[in-house]
């Protein structure tokens, strides 16, 4: 049984502020250790639940956060950021379950640690066929198209709600309770690891019974940006249409293609970004 873990950083226990997730921040090196501990807990739970192969995809920022020397040596690691499929690179039809670890709520969620949708400075809302999705929803749809169900998600209580709203049958672990955007009541680290091992074991044991959510056959993506300028930049992508001043829309043949289109749109928009105004 093959399990794919996509690991982000904002939803890891002990992580609460931008300083914890930016490479130059004072809390970043410690956050890497916390992230690796949580990944190891989920890897060991996954093997206890019957996994025979586990791939961990380091998915935060430049995707070189996990402490390689401390990673459970039964797991393989996808590391480095120039890759086709972003936070789920390497996920294909051969997997039996997707685990999203250390994830965070989408942009605009109240009481959610470091809420954002791919880029807090650029993206206000992203919709697939009219449904507002965060990183959890987008990546879960990508996996569902390959018949891989989302079996578990971890983060704060806002991420748990987003996960359950998306797919009721998902196993979740709340590692911290957000009391604002940059403040959370964090569980004891050891307790967190126990919860993660337990939940991963259960999720993997039941993976075969989980169903992937329905995927739109020809998905259309709408993006509302944070600035008009970003929508102007996005318009350089062929086939894209303008909605209102800050919104663009683009259609794709499937989620795999939409994954590529999304990244092209973001890059094109970013070329017009001006941090001063
Ligand atoms: Zn992240």
């Amino acid at each position: 049984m093959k399990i794919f873990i996509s690991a982000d950083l904002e939803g890891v226990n002990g992580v609460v502020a931008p300083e914890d997730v930016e490479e130059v921040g004072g809390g970043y090196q410690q956050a890497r250790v916390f992230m690796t501990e949580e990944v190891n807990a989920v890897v060991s739970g996954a093997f206890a639940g019957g996994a025979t192969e586990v791939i961990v995809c380091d998915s935060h920022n430049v995707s070189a956060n996990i402490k390689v020397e401390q990673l459970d040596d039964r797991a393989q690691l996808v590391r480095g950021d120039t890759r086709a499929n972003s936070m789920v690179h390497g996920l294909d039809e051969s997997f039996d379950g997707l685990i999203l670890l250390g994830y965070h709520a989408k942009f605009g969620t109240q009481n959610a640690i470091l809420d954002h949708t791919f880029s807090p400075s650029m993206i206000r809302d992203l919709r697939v066929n009219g449904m507002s999705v965060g990183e959890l929803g987008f990546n879960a749809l990508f996996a569902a198209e390959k018949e891989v169900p989302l079996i578990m998600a971890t983060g704060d209580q806002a991420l748990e709600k987003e996960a359950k709203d998306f797919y009721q049958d998902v196993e979740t672990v709340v590692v911290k309770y957000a009391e604002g955007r940059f403040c959370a009541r964090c569980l004891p680290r050891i307790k967190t690891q126990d919860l993660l091992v337990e939940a991963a074991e259960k999720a993997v044991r039941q993976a075969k019974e989980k169903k992937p959510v329905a995927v739109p056959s020809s998905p259309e993506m709408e993006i509302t940006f944070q600035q008009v300028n970003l929508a102007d930049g996005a318009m350089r992508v062929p086939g894209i249409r303008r909605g209102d001043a800050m919104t663009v829309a683009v259609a794709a043949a499937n989620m795999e293609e939409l994954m590529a289109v999304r990244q092209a749109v973001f890059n094109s928009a970013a070329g017009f970004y001006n941090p001063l105004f």
Side-chain angles (χ1 to χ4, degrees):
M1 173 145 55
K2 286 178 72 174
I3 299 299
F4 191 96
I5 302 172
S6 172
D8 204 353
L9 185 55
E10 289 85 349
V12 165
N13 195 6
V15 170
V16 296
E19 293 74 24
D20 297 327
V21 298
E22 297 293 340
E23 275 173 281
V24 292
Y28 175 67
Q29 291 304 328
Q30 191 58 58
R32 295 178 65 197
V33 175
F34 297 156
M35 180 188 190
T36 309
E37 285 175 355
E38 292 197 6
V39 168
N40 282 344
V42 171
V43 168
S44 85
F47 278 107
T52 52
E53 199 176 332
V54 174
I55 305 274
V56 180
C57 183
D58 193 330
S59 296
H60 173 72
N61 211 352
V62 293
S63 300
N65 308 281
I66 289 169
K67 306 278 280 184
V68 180
E69 73 280 13
Q70 290 169 18
L71 181 64
D72 188 311
D73 56 18
R74 292 170 293 177
Q76 296 178 56
L77 176 65
V78 177
R79 179 176 158 96
D81 71 340
T82 46
R83 58 201 194 194
N85 290 327
S86 185
M87 302 177 81
V88 282
H89 186 77
L91 178 63
D92 63 22
E93 289 80 358
S94 69
F95 285 87
D96 300 288
L98 169 67
I99 296 176
L100 303 178
L101 180 150
Y103 266 54
H104 50 82
K106 65 185 178 181
F107 184 83
T109 306
Q110 193 174 2
N111 288 332
I113 291 297
L114 298 162
D115 62 296
H116 67 284
T117 302
F118 295 107
S119 165
S121 56
M122 286 176 47
I123 311 299
R124 179 159 298 192
D125 190 34
L126 189 153
R127 295 174 293 285
V128 176
N129 282 17
M131 177 174 68
S132 176
V133 292
E135 294 170 29
L136 175 139
F138 194 91
N139 291 325
L141 284 174
F142 177 88
E145 183 169 273
K146 300 179 185 307
E147 301 285 324
V148 180
L150 172 64
I151 61 170
M152 177 171 159
T154 82
D156 64 15
Q157 86 292 348
L159 184 277
E160 178 184 57
K161 183 178 185 309
E162 191 170 314
K164 296 276 190 195
D165 286 350
F166 183 82
Y167 180 50
Q168 212 183 351
D169 222 13
V170 65
E171 196 67 36
T172 54
V173 176
V174 175
V175 301
K176 58 190 173 189
Y177 292 83
E179 298 181 358
R181 200 176 190 207
F182 307 130
C183 172
R185 173 171 55 85
C186 301
L187 295 189
R189 279 163 72 197
I190 295 297
K191 169 82 175 160
T192 304
Q193 287 170 47
D194 291 346
L195 291 173
L196 291 170
V197 172
E198 226 171 89
E201 181 175 349
K202 185 177 169 205
V204 171
R205 207 177 288 292
Q206 297 175 352
K208 298 277 190 205
E209 296 146 39
K210 309 274 186 196
K211 297 267 175 289
V213 293
V215 185
S217 55
S218 43
E220 179 171 276
M221 175 175 64
E222 280 178 291
I223 297 174
T224 301
F225 288 100
Q226 302 284 25
Q227 299 175 1
V228 174
N229 218 36
L230 295 168
D232 290 344
M235 290 305 293
R236 293 195 289 188
V237 173
I240 201 160
R241 305 185 313 279
R242 194 66 171 256
D244 61 26
M246 296 212 290
T247 301
V248 300
V250 63
N254 49 43
M255 285 304 300
E256 176 103 32
E257 190 180 295
L258 198 63
M259 175 70 82
V261 171
R262 175 182 69 75
Q263 294 177 88
V265 170
F266 285 9
N267 289 342
S268 186
F272 277 40
Y273 182 69
N274 185 330
L276 296 177
F277 201 84

